[in-house]
Amino acid sequence: MAEARSLTGGCQCGAVRYQLKRAPSRVSICFCRMCQKAVGGYFGAFAGSALDDLVWTRGQPSIFASSEAAERGFCSSCGTPLSFSYRGSGRISVTAGSLDDPAGYPPTLAHGVEGRMPWFDDLCRLSGTSTQDEIPPGEIARYRSRQHPDQEP
């Protein structure tokens, strides 16, 4: 596993921030349809820990009960998905992409594989470009990110 540099994270706009007291005990992805809809992608990526290891350091997520058993936290200002938990389990998962250093926490397990797209294995073989390659030189300033920076300034 890559060396973990940060145990903090938050939403896109910075209204909700968190800190994990310990490194996640499990990082997984889930291909189930509920997770796909919750994150707006082909899978959800989650870093799980004990509920007591998560501290909301700025703001609080809004909660959506996605089933009778589970709830999901998100930023009500920008919509960033932030957490998933089974009620009463004593555990919570933050969305791995909301970590300030998501590269430090690769997934080791997949759930809901029945929902995996049949072409998923082909994704890493697609040709690609970097973000900067897509922006016309005279328009770079228009594309300046308004996201909250990873890490606190």
Side-chain angles (χ1 to χ4, degrees), residues 61-135:
S62 292
I63 301 296
F64 172 68
S66 57
S67 73
E68 290 298 316
E71 58 188 29
R72 296 169 189 270
F74 64 95
C75 175
S76 61
S77 294
C78 67
T80 301
L82 292 168
S83 67
F84 170 87
S85 65
Y86 287 111
R87 290 189 193 129
S89 70
R91 296 195 51 78
I92 192 165
S93 294
V94 295
T95 51
S98 72
L99 287 162
D100 290 337
D101 181 22
Y105 304 97
T108 58
L109 183 65
H111 300 283
V113 295
E114 73 282 355
R116 184 171 23 207
M117 300 294 138
W119 40 259
F120 192 80
D121 290 340
D122 298 331
L123 291 178
C124 291
R125 291 187 285 281
L126 294 174
S127 63
T129 61
S130 71
T131 304
Q132 295 288 14
D133 292 342
E134 301 288 323
I135 301 172

Side-chain angles (χ1 to χ4, degrees), residues 23-44:
S25 57
R26 180 185 297 182
V27 181
S28 62
I29 58 175
C30 184
F31 294 99
C32 82
R33 187 65 183 132
M34 194 177 294
C35 284
Q36 290 171 354
K37 291 198 72 141
V39 302
Y42 298 120
F43 62 90

Side-chain angles (χ1 to χ4, degrees), residues 1 12 14 18 29 58 72 85 89 96 102 110 148 150:
M1 180 161 87
Q12 188 173 18
Y18 62 82
I29 58 175
R58 180 182 307 134
R72 296 169 189 270
S85 65
S89 70
H148 185 274
D150 291 339

